[in-house]
């Protein structure tokens, strides 16, 4: 009797999940259809459309496109490279690789920080950045002196990322950061929260901002 009841409950829950999944699929399909009609059908493209369309080109068309781009673009500068997705990299890899091995006729400049790889939810993969660093195609350098923040903020970064975080995430590298501006004073205040839920961060931040009210004092503020 108990086993039958469990099977019925399991079937009921499974049916509800399937209904929910079906509803989401229908909603997204309707949205995609309308989006294709109003945007893509009018020749407009989003940022994500470009690598998708490039990847779908037949080999001869892809080769012709890359030949024309390679003839026109001599210098590549890729920022926030730690968030590059495989789709984006497949669209650019041949061109960047050709420029990187051009014996000085062209140049490639890549900037990234593994600790700032936060776009995995949209297919960003920091392993692409790591792979290019190990490829031997580039001269490597590190920028640990910041022109954007003060000594107090640099000290806070060193304490946070140079301590327990490094022990938990062994693949991170965090050399000591310093501030270029040695004279301007800054302020850092760390506020503990009860747990790791997003909601638990809101109230302490609102309270701190309401207390300091930096916008009334002409101060810049980062959260």
């Amino acid at each position: 009797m108990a086993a039958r009841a469990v099977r019925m409950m399991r079937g009921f829950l499974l049916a509800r999940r399937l209904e929910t999944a079906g509803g989401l699929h229908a909603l997204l399909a309707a949205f995609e259809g309308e989006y294709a009609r109003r945007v893509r059908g009018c020749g407009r493209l989003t940022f994500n459309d470009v690598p998708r369309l490039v990847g779908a080109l037949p080999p001869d068309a892809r080769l012709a496109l890359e030949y024309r781009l390679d003839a026109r673009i001599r210098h590549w500068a890729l920022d926030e490279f730690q968030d590059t997705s495989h789709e984006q990299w497949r669209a650019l890899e041949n061109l960047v690789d050709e420029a990187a091995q051009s014996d000085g006729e062209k140049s490639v400049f890549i900037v990234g920080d593994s600790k700032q790889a936060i776009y995995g939810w949209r297919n960003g993969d920091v392993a692409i950045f790591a792979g290019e660093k190990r490829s031997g195609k580039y001269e490597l350098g590190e920028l640990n002196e910041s022109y954007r923040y003060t000594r107090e903020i640099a000290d806070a970064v060193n304490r946070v990322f140079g301590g327990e975080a490094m022990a938990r995430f062994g693949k991170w590298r965090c050399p000591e950061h310093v501030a270029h501006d040695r004279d301007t004073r800054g302020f850092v205040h760390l506020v503990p929260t009860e747990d790791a839920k997003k909601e638990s961060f809101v109230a302490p931040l609102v309270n701190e901002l309401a207390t300091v009210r930096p916008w009334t004092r002409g101060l810049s503020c980062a959260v």
Side-chain angles (χ1 to χ4, degrees), residues 12-105:
F12 175 80
L13 293 174
L14 181 60
R16 297 289 80 75
R17 295 290 180 88
L18 289 173
E19 287 181 3
T20 301
L24 289 173
H25 180 271
L27 177 63
L28 292 175
F31 176 84
E32 177 64 22
E34 190 68 12
Y35 184 85
R37 183 177 69 84
R38 292 175 175 266
V39 180
R40 296 193 180 104
C42 298
R44 299 168 183 167
L45 298 175
T46 68
F47 183 76
N48 290 329
D49 287 328
V50 176
R52 177 181 58 82
L53 293 173
V54 170
L57 289 173
D60 56 341
R62 174 74 178 266
L63 183 62
L65 175 63
E66 290 179 343
Y67 180 81
R68 294 182 65 180
L69 288 173
D70 185 59
R72 297 186 61 180
I73 301 176
R74 302 183 59 82
H75 306 288
W76 291 86
L78 307 177
D79 195 14
E80 303 291 354
F81 194 75
Q82 74 280 347
D83 292 321
T84 303
S85 70
H86 287 278
E87 294 81 8
Q88 294 166 351
W89 187 231
R90 280 194 293 268
L92 293 177
E93 184 177 9
N94 292 341
L95 292 163
V96 172
D97 190 59
E98 180 71 21
Q101 302 185 56
S102 62
D103 296 327
E105 297 179 4

Side-chain angles (χ1 to χ4, degrees), residues 36-220:
R37 183 177 69 84
R38 292 175 175 266
V39 180
R40 296 193 180 104
C42 298
R44 299 168 183 167
L45 298 175
T46 68
F47 183 76
N48 290 329
D49 287 328
V50 176
R52 177 181 58 82
L53 293 173
V54 170
L57 289 173
D60 56 341
R62 174 74 178 266
L63 183 62
L65 175 63
E66 290 179 343
Y67 180 81
R68 294 182 65 180
L69 288 173
D70 185 59
R72 297 186 61 180
I73 301 176
R74 302 183 59 82
H75 306 288
W76 291 86
L78 307 177
D79 195 14
E80 303 291 354
F81 194 75
Q82 74 280 347
D83 292 321
T84 303
S85 70
H86 287 278
E87 294 81 8
Q88 294 166 351
W89 187 231
R90 280 194 293 268
L92 293 177
E93 184 177 9
N94 292 341
L95 292 163
V96 172
D97 190 59
E98 180 71 21
Q101 302 185 56
S102 62
D103 296 327
E105 297 179 4
K106 300 179 180 181
S107 65
V108 177
F109 184 68
I110 293 177
V111 179
D113 185 349
S114 299
K115 299 189 304 302
Q116 297 185 44
I118 59 174
Y119 284 97
W121 58 272
R122 66 176 189 190
N123 299 326
D125 188 351
V126 70
I128 300 173
F129 181 33
E132 288 301 291
K133 288 177 65 176
R134 295 192 302 265
S135 68
K137 295 182 293 189
Y138 310 96
E139 295 181 12
L140 302 181
E142 291 186 346
L143 179 60
N144 303 322
E145 182 179 8
S146 175
Y147 289 73
R148 300 176 61 186
Y149 51 65
T150 61
R151 290 178 298 168
E152 290 78 6
I153 298 176
D155 291 341
V157 170
N158 292 329
R159 289 199 307 271
V160 172
F161 289 102
E164 184 180 353
M166 287 294 291
R168 293 191 177 188
F169 304 99
K171 293 184 178 180
W172 279 3
R173 292 187 63 256
C174 186
E176 184 176 356
H177 289 68
V178 296
H180 178 78
D181 186 348
R182 303 293 199 275
D183 299 322
T184 302
R185 296 301 305 273
F187 175 74
V188 175
H189 182 45
L190 304 181
V191 181
T193 60
E194 295 181 358
D195 51 52
K197 296 179 180 179
K198 182 173 64 175
E199 296 79 7
S200 301
F201 285 82
V202 176
L205 288 176
V206 171
N207 292 338
E208 291 297 319
L209 290 173
T211 300
V212 178
R213 298 181 64 82
W215 54 89
T216 65
R217 306 182 184 188
L219 301 176
S220 61

